[in-house]
Amino acid sequence: MGPTASGKTALAIDLVERLPCEIISVDSALVYRGMDIGTAKPSLDIRARVPHRLIDIRDPNEAYSAAQFRVDALQAMDEITGAGRIPLLVGGTMLYFRALERGLAPLPPAHPDLRRDLLRQFERLGSAPMHRWLAVLDAASAARIHPNDPQRIQRALEVYLTTGRALGDHWAEAAAQELPYRVVKLAQAPGLAVGQARSFQAGPLQAGSGERERHALRERIAARFDAMLAAGFEAEVESLRVRGDLHPTLPSMRAVGYRQMWHYLDGDYDFARMRELAITATRQLAKRQLTWLRSESDCLWLPEGAPLLDQALERLACAGIGAS
């Protein structure tokens, strides 16, 4: 687990080469075919050497939910363990991790007319006013959801406006869906020093490492987006646009980077502004991911300052997995 641009994929590949693991992607954007550069999808060469499950399983015009992820991930985990191997779940979509571990409440399906109306309001007003509206209707959900997280704000509004009940009420009614596996959570935190991590290797990340962490991530995120641009990200989005069946309100096209590039190609702003907005959106995503990870009470943190693979193997050995 870890924020975007923290190097999760590289570590996962190293682990597969040392332990009998198979990778399951936990990323809401990697499920989509044809979205390769902007999602930092592992290359075909890497996937030929180290297969990744739950990548390229949906067309960008299709929806994919946390509930469907849970079904698919559990099936993959059953197949992997049935072959005597270890499922290694890798990604940054924290809601997917939580859905897998804790289960999901049965929620009402999205109402197309209501969703279109909400999307128009988001486009016209922006996320912050919609978040304030959510706070009036469902204060508990608003407290959990960041004001710059339009997809989760929209879904919480949909649930309330469809049912007249807060999202938390639906979750409270969910029957326990115990995960039939022992879970070991490894979390990467760029900028976190070795000494800082030792005091909370199996506890929530404390706030003291914040500025170092943010600076390291800012640098990585900007560099990675520039590398995506150099690799042909603009052409990738243009090829998706010319299909004619995609639009910027689809979940796939609302992924960070894709939305900003789409609006740039629409002429809404210039290239420099697109780059600035995409990097900012990615940094906001990383901040939300780190905030989520801080709330996890049982993560084994992998700080910088020592080889990540050695740290991961040491922590796994302490948990009874592999050899020290």
Side-chain angles (χ1 to χ4, degrees):
M1 311 168 77
T4 187
S6 62
K8 298 181 295 296
T9 298
L11 175 58
I13 291 169
D14 287 341
L15 284 172
V16 168
E17 293 175 344
R18 295 289 296 273
L19 296 172
C21 296
E22 290 190 31
I23 293 175
I24 300 173
S25 171
V26 187
D27 190 299
S28 60
L30 295 189
V31 301
Y32 294 113
R33 294 185 288 271
M35 296 173 58
D36 302 330
I37 298 172
T39 62
K41 190 176 292 180
S43 69
L44 292 175
D45 288 343
I46 288 175
R47 282 183 277 159
R49 178 165 55 92
V50 181
H52 289 58
R53 301 194 186 215
L54 305 191
I55 287 182
D56 288 346
I57 60 173
R58 287 291 187 278
D59 188 85
N61 66 6
E62 298 176 308
Y64 191 72
S65 66
Q68 185 60 56
F69 165 79
R70 191 175 198 273
V71 171
D72 292 342
L74 285 172
Q75 179 179 338
M77 293 164 77
D78 183 61
E79 293 171 359
I80 291 168
T81 55
R85 301 177 66 79
I86 303 169
L88 176 57
L89 293 109
V90 182
T93 301
M94 302 304 165
L95 178 61
Y96 284 12
F97 278 117
R98 181 160 295 182
L100 178 64
E101 186 177 9
R102 304 183 187 179
L104 282 169
L107 295 177
H111 190 284
D113 291 339
L114 174 59
R115 173 161 290 186
R116 281 192 292 270
D117 181 60
L118 288 173
L119 287 172
R120 284 194 294 266
Q121 292 186 64
F122 271 99
E123 291 289 333
R124 182 169 58 88
L125 301 174
S127 291
M130 300 298 282
H131 186 267
R132 289 194 292 270
W133 183 25
L134 177 62
V136 173
L137 300 176
D138 180 358
S141 290
R144 289 193 304 269
I145 299 173
H146 195 280
N148 291 325
D149 193 347
Q151 286 183 277
R152 293 183 68 206
I153 296 169
Q154 174 194 308
R155 184 58 178 142
L157 284 169
E158 284 180 358
V159 170
Y160 187 89
L161 294 171
T162 301
T163 67
R165 300 169 62 211
L167 188 60
D169 293 341
H170 293 274
W171 282 95
E173 292 180 357
Q177 302 175 47
E178 185 177 352
L179 187 67
Y181 297 92
R182 182 169 66 94
V183 176
V184 178
K185 300 179 185 177
L186 300 178
Q188 289 181 242
L192 186 67
V194 173
Q196 289 175 297
R198 286 185 181 132
S199 63
F200 45 81
Q201 286 182 3
L205 181 61
Q206 299 169 351
S209 62
E211 185 50 44
R212 177 186 177 94
E213 192 178 272
R214 285 192 294 271
H215 178 75
L217 269 178
R218 282 196 296 265
E219 295 299 315
R220 292 185 191 204
I221 286 167
R224 189 172 75 159
F225 189 71
D226 285 337
M228 290 174 178
L229 292 173
F233 181 43
E234 180 176 343
E236 177 176 271
V237 178
E238 182 59 44
S239 69
L240 294 167
R241 283 164 52 88
V242 300
R243 286 178 33 160
D245 63 338
L246 303 178
H247 52 83
T249 61
L250 285 169
S252 59
M253 294 298 101
R254 292 169 67 184
V256 292
Y258 286 86
R259 177 190 292 187
Q260 292 77 20
M261 181 62 79
W262 191 291
H263 284 296
Y264 159 69
L265 293 170
D266 273 346
D268 294 340
Y269 32 70
D270 63 18
F271 187 88
R273 180 62 173 160
M274 176 276 297
R275 177 185 178 275
E276 176 188 359
L277 290 173
I279 291 173
T280 298
T282 310
R283 288 171 176 168
Q284 290 170 343
L285 170 62
K287 183 178 179 181
R288 294 195 298 271
Q289 291 169 318
L290 278 169
T291 298
W292 190 303
L293 280 169
R294 285 192 183 98
S295 70
E296 295 288 331
S297 62
D298 52 355
C299 284
L300 303 175
W301 289 92
L302 304 177
E304 291 184 331
L308 283 176
L309 178 60
D310 291 345
Q311 294 182 67
L313 291 172
E314 177 184 352
R315 284 157 173 72
L316 290 171
C318 290
I321 299 173
S324 60

